[in-house]
């Protein structure tokens, strides 16, 4: 039997995605042996993650704790008639880096993945549909990754958004298949965005 503090850490680590019991105990014993500075840094980062960061009420991107909306949702300079749907906050940042997009975003916080047991209710899909139902949206760009899961998520969203009377577009091909938007170079991403096509 392991001492309780180690058991507790192993248990907590095991709950993280992709970490099995073996990796969890290896990490726990690593932290036990490592200089205190390493575990302190980790503990502090974990605490700050939840006290200093929150999710935007409208788009579910990350924002500073205490703020309801992120900067983009708050901004009157951004076109609320266009919503670009991405998987993760980092994908949104990739679009922001090219600087050519003036609409808003919606972060799904993942993709549909039957293998990992991630269904529609695990993503911010109902919130996206509710947001469109509130009106004022003319186009939704499905900018999920060109992976199998990203495609399946776009296919799932397409009829549901179209049913609300909104134009649905998908990024143009040209992004490396199976790749991650987050790592696409700016020109490729810009081409994919400007060449987006209505889904049929
Ligand atoms: Zn927002």
């Amino acid at each position: 039997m392991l001492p309780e503090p180690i058991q507790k850490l192993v248990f907590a680590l095991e709950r993280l995605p992709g970490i099995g019991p073996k990796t969890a105990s290896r990490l726990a014993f690593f932290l036990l042996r490592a200089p205190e500075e390493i575990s302190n840094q980790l503990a502090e980062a974990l605490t700050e993650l939840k006290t200093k960061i929150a999710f935007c009420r409208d788009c579910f991107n990350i924002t500073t704790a205490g703020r309801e909306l992120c900067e983009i949702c708050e901004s009157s300079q951004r076109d609320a008639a266009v919503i670009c749907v991405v998987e993760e906050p980092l994908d949104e940042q990739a679009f922001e880096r090219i600087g050519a997009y003036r609409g808003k975003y919606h972060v799904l916080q993942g993709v549909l993945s039957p293998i990992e047991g991630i269904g529609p209710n695990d993503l911010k899909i109902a919130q996206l549909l509710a947001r469109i139902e509130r009106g004022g949206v003319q186009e939704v760009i499905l900018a999920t990754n060109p992976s199998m899961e990203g495609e399946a998520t776009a296919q799932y969203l397409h009829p549901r958004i179209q049913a609300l009377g909104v134009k649905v577009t998908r990024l143009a091909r040209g992004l490396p298949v199976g790749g991650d938007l987050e790592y696409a170079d700016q020109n490729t991403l810009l081409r994919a965005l400007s060449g987006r096509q209505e889904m049929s």
Side-chain angles (χ1 to χ4, degrees):
M1 260 317 222
L2 291 170
E4 207 206 324
I6 301 179
Q7 273 186 41
K8 242 167 107 174
L9 180 58
V10 171
F11 179 70
L13 290 167
E14 261 183 46
R15 298 179 71 181
L16 300 175
I19 297 198
K22 221 169 157 179
T23 310
S25 24
R26 210 167 38 114
L27 289 171
F29 282 102
F30 166 79
L31 288 167
L32 185 64
R33 283 191 315 265
E36 209 173 326
E37 183 204 330
I38 292 186
S39 45
N40 283 346
Q41 206 176 42
L42 186 64
E44 198 182 285
L46 289 173
T47 310
E48 284 191 358
L49 189 67
K50 289 296 190 180
T51 54
K52 297 199 173 163
I53 304 287
F55 290 112
C56 171
R57 189 192 63 195
D58 275 2
C59 75
F60 297 91
N61 186 23
I62 42 180
T63 183
T64 318
R67 282 179 67 164
E68 287 213 319
L69 295 173
C70 70
E71 263 174 49
I72 293 174
C73 286
E74 243 169 24
S75 167
S76 56
Q77 307 296 309
R78 306 293 295 238
D79 182 3
V82 187
I83 296 179
C84 179
V85 177
V86 293
E87 294 177 20
E88 302 287 354
L90 285 174
D91 300 326
E92 176 175 328
Q93 281 175 23
F95 280 109
E96 284 302 287
R97 272 199 300 273
I98 60 176
Y101 178 67
R102 302 309 302 158
K104 305 226 172 182
Y105 294 95
H106 191 89
V107 181
L108 294 173
Q109 298 191 350
V111 261
L112 295 176
S113 172
I115 295 168
E116 288 180 50
I118 301 168
N121 293 333
D122 300 308
L123 306 176
K124 302 296 178 195
I125 289 177
Q127 291 86 341
L128 170 66
L129 298 176
R131 200 176 156 194
I132 299 168
E133 274 173 354
R134 288 203 294 272
V137 180
Q138 285 163 12
E139 179 186 355
V140 172
I141 305 167
L142 297 178
T144 48
N145 283 324
S147 63
M148 229 164 72
E149 290 86 357
E151 279 303 330
T153 307
Q155 294 300 336
Y156 177 87
L157 289 171
H158 173 218
R160 288 164 177 83
I161 297 169
Q162 207 175 35
L164 301 172
V166 171
K167 180 171 148 187
V168 183
T169 55
R170 181 87 174 112
L171 294 182
R173 309 213 176 259
L175 290 163
V177 174
D180 235 319
L181 289 187
E182 180 195 336
Y183 303 115
D185 71 85
Q186 299 195 7
N187 282 331
T188 309
L189 200 53
L190 183 60
R191 270 202 309 273
L193 180 67
S194 52
R196 68 184 183 269
Q197 284 174 353
E198 191 157 358
M199 283 181 83
S200 52

